[in-house]
Amino acid sequence: MHINDRRLLRGMLESFGFAPQALDTVCVTFDKLDKVGPQGVAAELEEKAMPAAAVQALEAFLEKGAFSLDDVSALCADKSLGGSVRYVLDTVGRLSGGRYAVEYTPSLVRGQGYYTGMVFEVTCAAFSGAVAGGGRYDDMVGKFLGQKVPAVGFSIGFERICSILLDQGYAVPDEKPRLALLYGADADFADVLQKAEALRGEYAVTVLAAAKKVGKQLDRLQQSGCAAACFYEKYPEIKPLGENA
């Protein structure tokens, strides 16, 4: 999985001298870095009549090769922008156990202009392109509701993934009973996810924040088909749901 943050990217580009109102079109060109290289990016920006000094500064930075999260964060006026990306990298490092890799990819843009923060894409060695991708779009829902609503979403290449799995001889596992793992506001979220992974040996687990009225939440979970619940603070105790529970 490759991750980036649109705020980091925009902060970096502004540091080179690109105007805020030009950043969307600059990002569209920057997204082609892996295909056309630094010189190709610079040439297209020149065609778009971007400031020569800004284009030269960006090209010089890209020509250095690999640039780290710390390198990019240092260029931004807001030095804290790299924190959310670092948090995800560190948390996933604790959870993955080497089964998959998540890396910061500064050239990842995700061209849609509605993204407001972190963006990501999932790639697979058996396929040349991305098999899933998405990100945060905190302003989109609010445009329809008239209030700010945080949101994150993604789409998957369903046919691509099925094709890859079938080529690898994947067999659909037996259906497992559904379980909700509920956690409180002060919980260590990385540890919550580790507990969820341990429960997945026997259950199809959904991780949810515990509501203030837990009883009503459990009723809704039971009505939606959940067979059991587990409170993070009482792990590994399992509470069956249903009329006879």
PDB file of all heavy atoms in Angstrom, residues 10 49 56 62 66 80 89 92 96 101 103 105 119 130 143 148 151 161 176 184 190-191 208 224 241:
ATOM      1  N   ARG A  10       0.748  19.577  -1.297  1.00  0.00           N
ATOM      2  CA  ARG A  10       0.486  20.976  -1.613  1.00  0.00           C
ATOM      3  C   ARG A  10       1.472  21.892  -0.891  1.00  0.00           C
ATOM      4  O   ARG A  10       1.941  22.886  -1.460  1.00  0.00           O
ATOM      5  CB  ARG A  10      -0.960  21.331  -1.246  1.00  0.00           C
ATOM      6  CG  ARG A  10      -1.991  20.598  -2.110  1.00  0.00           C
ATOM      7  CD  ARG A  10      -3.407  20.856  -1.622  1.00  0.00           C
ATOM      8  NE  ARG A  10      -3.828  22.218  -1.914  1.00  0.00           N
ATOM      9  CZ  ARG A  10      -4.406  22.574  -3.044  1.00  0.00           C
ATOM     10  NH1 ARG A  10      -4.625  21.693  -4.001  1.00  0.00           N
ATOM     11  NH2 ARG A  10      -4.770  23.825  -3.243  1.00  0.00           N
ATOM     12  N   ALA A  49       2.826  27.089 -18.593  1.00  0.00           N
ATOM     13  CA  ALA A  49       3.242  28.461 -18.257  1.00  0.00           C
ATOM     14  C   ALA A  49       3.356  28.688 -16.759  1.00  0.00           C
ATOM     15  O   ALA A  49       3.048  29.775 -16.256  1.00  0.00           O
ATOM     16  CB  ALA A  49       2.288  29.476 -18.876  1.00  0.00           C
ATOM     17  N   GLN A  56      11.942  24.907 -11.960  1.00  0.00           N
ATOM     18  CA  GLN A  56      13.345  24.513 -11.788  1.00  0.00           C
ATOM     19  C   GLN A  56      13.612  23.980 -10.385  1.00  0.00           C
ATOM     20  O   GLN A  56      14.335  22.997 -10.210  1.00  0.00           O
ATOM     21  CB  GLN A  56      14.252  25.707 -12.090  1.00  0.00           C
ATOM     22  CG  GLN A  56      14.252  26.126 -13.558  1.00  0.00           C
ATOM     23  CD  GLN A  56      14.958  27.443 -13.795  1.00  0.00           C
ATOM     24  OE1 GLN A  56      15.541  28.027 -12.883  1.00  0.00           O
ATOM     25  NE2 GLN A  56      14.905  27.940 -15.033  1.00  0.00           N
ATOM     26  N   LEU A  62      13.344  16.765  -7.469  1.00  0.00           N
ATOM     27  CA  LEU A  62      13.007  15.427  -7.957  1.00  0.00           C
ATOM     28  C   LEU A  62      14.229  14.693  -8.486  1.00  0.00           C
ATOM     29  O   LEU A  62      14.315  13.465  -8.399  1.00  0.00           O
ATOM     30  CB  LEU A  62      11.931  15.526  -9.045  1.00  0.00           C
ATOM     31  CG  LEU A  62      10.587  16.115  -8.619  1.00  0.00           C
ATOM     32  CD1 LEU A  62       9.630  16.149  -9.810  1.00  0.00           C
ATOM     33  CD2 LEU A  62       9.979  15.323  -7.481  1.00  0.00           C
ATOM     34  N   ALA A  66      15.221   9.460  -4.445  1.00  0.00           N
ATOM     35  CA  ALA A  66      14.321   9.177  -3.330  1.00  0.00           C
ATOM     36  C   ALA A  66      14.340  10.329  -2.342  1.00  0.00           C
ATOM     37  O   ALA A  66      15.402  10.845  -1.992  1.00  0.00           O
ATOM     38  CB  ALA A  66      14.731   7.881  -2.641  1.00  0.00           C
ATOM     39  N   SER A  80       4.008  20.054  11.155  1.00  0.00           N
ATOM     40  CA  SER A  80       3.300  18.920  11.755  1.00  0.00           C
ATOM     41  C   SER A  80       2.569  18.054  10.730  1.00  0.00           C
ATOM     42  O   SER A  80       1.998  17.030  11.092  1.00  0.00           O
ATOM     43  CB  SER A  80       2.285  19.426  12.786  1.00  0.00           C
ATOM     44  OG  SER A  80       1.238  20.151  12.166  1.00  0.00           O
ATOM     45  N   LEU A  89       2.131   4.868   9.302  1.00  0.00           N
ATOM     46  CA  LEU A  89       3.270   3.999   9.015  1.00  0.00           C
ATOM     47  C   LEU A  89       3.688   3.212  10.254  1.00  0.00           C
ATOM     48  O   LEU A  89       3.930   1.997  10.197  1.00  0.00           O
ATOM     49  CB  LEU A  89       4.450   4.822   8.498  1.00  0.00           C
ATOM     50  CG  LEU A  89       4.277   5.490   7.130  1.00  0.00           C
ATOM     51  CD1 LEU A  89       5.464   6.403   6.844  1.00  0.00           C
ATOM     52  CD2 LEU A  89       4.136   4.449   6.030  1.00  0.00           C
ATOM     53  N   VAL A  92       0.827   0.609  11.283  1.00  0.00           N
ATOM     54  CA  VAL A  92       0.785  -0.546  10.386  1.00  0.00           C
ATOM     55  C   VAL A  92       2.023  -1.419  10.580  1.00  0.00           C
ATOM     56  O   VAL A  92       1.949  -2.651  10.501  1.00  0.00           O
ATOM     57  CB  VAL A  92       0.655  -0.089   8.925  1.00  0.00           C
ATOM     58  CG1 VAL A  92       0.784  -1.272   7.975  1.00  0.00           C
ATOM     59  CG2 VAL A  92      -0.680   0.606   8.713  1.00  0.00           C
ATOM     60  N   SER A  96       1.386  -5.399  10.839  1.00  0.00           N
ATOM     61  CA  SER A  96       1.513  -6.197   9.619  1.00  0.00           C
ATOM     62  C   SER A  96       2.246  -7.512   9.824  1.00  0.00           C
ATOM     63  O   SER A  96       1.964  -8.490   9.132  1.00  0.00           O
ATOM     64  CB  SER A  96       2.230  -5.389   8.538  1.00  0.00           C
ATOM     65  OG  SER A  96       3.579  -5.143   8.919  1.00  0.00           O
ATOM     66  N   ALA A 101       3.238  -4.480   3.132  1.00  0.00           N
ATOM     67  CA  ALA A 101       4.053  -3.288   3.354  1.00  0.00           C
ATOM     68  C   ALA A 101       3.242  -2.033   3.062  1.00  0.00           C
ATOM     69  O   ALA A 101       2.455  -1.998   2.117  1.00  0.00           O
ATOM     70  CB  ALA A 101       5.288  -3.318   2.459  1.00  0.00           C
ATOM     71  N   GLU A 103       4.061   2.068   2.545  1.00  0.00           N
ATOM     72  CA  GLU A 103       5.181   2.986   2.412  1.00  0.00           C
ATOM     73  C   GLU A 103       4.694   4.368   1.970  1.00  0.00           C
ATOM     74  O   GLU A 103       3.686   4.502   1.264  1.00  0.00           O
ATOM     75  CB  GLU A 103       6.203   2.468   1.408  1.00  0.00           C
ATOM     76  CG  GLU A 103       5.694   2.303   0.000  1.00  0.00           C
ATOM     77  CD  GLU A 103       6.750   1.754  -0.948  1.00  0.00           C
ATOM     78  OE1 GLU A 103       7.579   0.933  -0.511  1.00  0.00           O
ATOM     79  OE2 GLU A 103       6.739   2.157  -2.126  1.00  0.00           O
ATOM     80  N   THR A 105       4.745   7.404  -0.292  1.00  0.00           N
ATOM     81  CA  THR A 105       5.076   7.584  -1.702  1.00  0.00           C
ATOM     82  C   THR A 105       4.761   9.024  -2.093  1.00  0.00           C
ATOM     83  O   THR A 105       3.603   9.361  -2.381  1.00  0.00           O
ATOM     84  CB  THR A 105       4.282   6.608  -2.583  1.00  0.00           C
ATOM     85  OG1 THR A 105       4.490   5.271  -2.123  1.00  0.00           O
ATOM     86  CG2 THR A 105       4.713   6.709  -4.034  1.00  0.00           C
ATOM     87  N   VAL A 119      -4.212  10.068   1.056  1.00  0.00           N
ATOM     88  CA  VAL A 119      -4.661   9.269  -0.083  1.00  0.00           C
ATOM     89  C   VAL A 119      -3.832   7.995  -0.131  1.00  0.00           C
ATOM     90  O   VAL A 119      -2.728   7.937   0.408  1.00  0.00           O
ATOM     91  CB  VAL A 119      -4.526  10.041  -1.417  1.00  0.00           C
ATOM     92  CG1 VAL A 119      -5.507  11.192  -1.468  1.00  0.00           C
ATOM     93  CG2 VAL A 119      -3.111  10.558  -1.617  1.00  0.00           C
ATOM     94  N   ALA A 130      -2.827  -0.353  -9.952  1.00  0.00           N
ATOM     95  CA  ALA A 130      -3.444  -0.396  -8.630  1.00  0.00           C
ATOM     96  C   ALA A 130      -4.684  -1.286  -8.655  1.00  0.00           C
ATOM     97  O   ALA A 130      -5.414  -1.348  -9.645  1.00  0.00           O
ATOM     98  CB  ALA A 130      -3.823   1.009  -8.189  1.00  0.00           C
ATOM     99  N   LYS A 143     -20.925  19.499   1.779  1.00  0.00           N
ATOM    100  CA  LYS A 143     -21.514  20.342   0.746  1.00  0.00           C
ATOM    101  C   LYS A 143     -23.009  20.087   0.612  1.00  0.00           C
ATOM    102  O   LYS A 143     -23.779  20.967   0.235  1.00  0.00           O
ATOM    103  CB  LYS A 143     -20.823  20.094  -0.593  1.00  0.00           C
ATOM    104  CG  LYS A 143     -19.387  20.609  -0.656  1.00  0.00           C
ATOM    105  CD  LYS A 143     -18.766  20.321  -2.015  1.00  0.00           C
ATOM    106  CE  LYS A 143     -17.340  20.844  -2.077  1.00  0.00           C
ATOM    107  NZ  LYS A 143     -16.700  20.558  -3.384  1.00  0.00           N
ATOM    108  N   LYS A 148     -19.678  20.427   8.409  1.00  0.00           N
ATOM    109  CA  LYS A 148     -18.445  19.692   8.124  1.00  0.00           C
ATOM    110  C   LYS A 148     -18.569  18.245   8.607  1.00  0.00           C
ATOM    111  O   LYS A 148     -18.938  17.999   9.757  1.00  0.00           O
ATOM    112  CB  LYS A 148     -17.252  20.368   8.814  1.00  0.00           C
ATOM    113  CG  LYS A 148     -15.902  19.813   8.370  1.00  0.00           C
ATOM    114  CD  LYS A 148     -14.765  20.643   8.926  1.00  0.00           C
ATOM    115  CE  LYS A 148     -13.406  20.117   8.473  1.00  0.00           C
ATOM    116  NZ  LYS A 148     -13.253  20.177   7.016  1.00  0.00           N
ATOM    117  N   ALA A 151     -14.773  12.282   6.385  1.00  0.00           N
ATOM    118  CA  ALA A 151     -15.112  11.087   5.614  1.00  0.00           C
ATOM    119  C   ALA A 151     -13.865  10.514   4.958  1.00  0.00           C
ATOM    120  O   ALA A 151     -12.924  11.237   4.637  1.00  0.00           O
ATOM    121  CB  ALA A 151     -16.153  11.420   4.540  1.00  0.00           C
ATOM    122  N   ILE A 161      -9.035  -8.105  -8.660  1.00  0.00           N
ATOM    123  CA  ILE A 161      -8.687  -8.870  -7.470  1.00  0.00           C
ATOM    124  C   ILE A 161      -9.157 -10.315  -7.597  1.00  0.00           C
ATOM    125  O   ILE A 161      -8.426 -11.256  -7.256  1.00  0.00           O
ATOM    126  CB  ILE A 161      -9.287  -8.205  -6.219  1.00  0.00           C
ATOM    127  CG1 ILE A 161      -8.592  -6.857  -5.970  1.00  0.00           C
ATOM    128  CG2 ILE A 161      -9.146  -9.106  -4.993  1.00  0.00           C
ATOM    129  CD1 ILE A 161      -9.188  -6.047  -4.848  1.00  0.00           C
ATOM    130  N   LYS A 176     -18.025 -17.311   8.488  1.00  0.00           N
ATOM    131  CA  LYS A 176     -17.856 -17.259   9.939  1.00  0.00           C
ATOM    132  C   LYS A 176     -18.932 -16.377  10.561  1.00  0.00           C
ATOM    133  O   LYS A 176     -19.432 -15.453   9.917  1.00  0.00           O
ATOM    134  CB  LYS A 176     -16.477 -16.691  10.289  1.00  0.00           C
ATOM    135  CG  LYS A 176     -15.312 -17.508   9.782  1.00  0.00           C
ATOM    136  CD  LYS A 176     -13.988 -16.819  10.094  1.00  0.00           C
ATOM    137  CE  LYS A 176     -12.814 -17.615   9.550  1.00  0.00           C
ATOM    138  NZ  LYS A 176     -11.525 -16.938   9.795  1.00  0.00           N
ATOM    139  N   GLY A 184     -13.311   1.787  23.571  1.00  0.00           N
ATOM    140  CA  GLY A 184     -13.570   3.097  24.145  1.00  0.00           C
ATOM    141  C   GLY A 184     -12.651   4.170  23.600  1.00  0.00           C
ATOM    142  O   GLY A 184     -11.702   3.893  22.863  1.00  0.00           O
ATOM    143  N   ALA A 190      -4.026   0.687  17.853  1.00  0.00           N
ATOM    144  CA  ALA A 190      -3.212  -0.364  17.244  1.00  0.00           C
ATOM    145  C   ALA A 190      -3.443  -1.691  17.954  1.00  0.00           C
ATOM    146  O   ALA A 190      -3.541  -2.749  17.320  1.00  0.00           O
ATOM    147  CB  ALA A 190      -1.738   0.020  17.298  1.00  0.00           C
ATOM    148  N   ASP A 191      -3.560  -1.652  19.277  1.00  0.00           N
ATOM    149  CA  ASP A 191      -3.812  -2.881  20.029  1.00  0.00           C
ATOM    150  C   ASP A 191      -5.225  -3.399  19.767  1.00  0.00           C
ATOM    151  O   ASP A 191      -5.450  -4.615  19.715  1.00  0.00           O
ATOM    152  CB  ASP A 191      -3.615  -2.628  21.527  1.00  0.00           C
ATOM    153  CG  ASP A 191      -3.592  -3.927  22.329  1.00  0.00           C
ATOM    154  OD1 ASP A 191      -2.825  -4.836  21.959  1.00  0.00           O
ATOM    155  OD2 ASP A 191      -4.361  -4.032  23.312  1.00  0.00           O
ATOM    156  N   LEU A 208     -15.630  -1.292  15.962  1.00  0.00           N
ATOM    157  CA  LEU A 208     -16.494  -0.128  16.114  1.00  0.00           C
ATOM    158  C   LEU A 208     -16.209   0.599  17.419  1.00  0.00           C
ATOM    159  O   LEU A 208     -15.883  -0.033  18.432  1.00  0.00           O
ATOM    160  CB  LEU A 208     -17.974  -0.546  16.121  1.00  0.00           C
ATOM    161  CG  LEU A 208     -18.536  -1.196  14.846  1.00  0.00           C
ATOM    162  CD1 LEU A 208     -19.923  -1.740  15.130  1.00  0.00           C
ATOM    163  CD2 LEU A 208     -18.585  -0.177  13.722  1.00  0.00           C
ATOM    164  N   SER A 224     -28.680  -6.348  12.777  1.00  0.00           N
ATOM    165  CA  SER A 224     -27.953  -6.324  11.501  1.00  0.00           C
ATOM    166  C   SER A 224     -27.289  -7.654  11.182  1.00  0.00           C
ATOM    167  O   SER A 224     -26.667  -7.793  10.133  1.00  0.00           O
ATOM    168  CB  SER A 224     -26.894  -5.220  11.524  1.00  0.00           C
ATOM    169  OG  SER A 224     -25.846  -5.552  12.422  1.00  0.00           O
ATOM    170  N   LEU A 241     -25.075 -12.437  21.080  1.00  0.00           N
ATOM    171  CA  LEU A 241     -26.198 -11.550  20.851  1.00  0.00           C
ATOM    172  C   LEU A 241     -27.380 -12.358  20.352  1.00  0.00           C
ATOM    173  O   LEU A 241     -27.228 -13.371  19.681  1.00  0.00           O
ATOM    174  CB  LEU A 241     -25.840 -10.475  19.826  1.00  0.00           C
ATOM    175  CG  LEU A 241     -24.651  -9.561  20.158  1.00  0.00           C
ATOM    176  CD1 LEU A 241     -24.427  -8.568  19.017  1.00  0.00           C
ATOM    177  CD2 LEU A 241     -24.880  -8.827  21.469  1.00  0.00           C
TER     178      LEU A 241
END
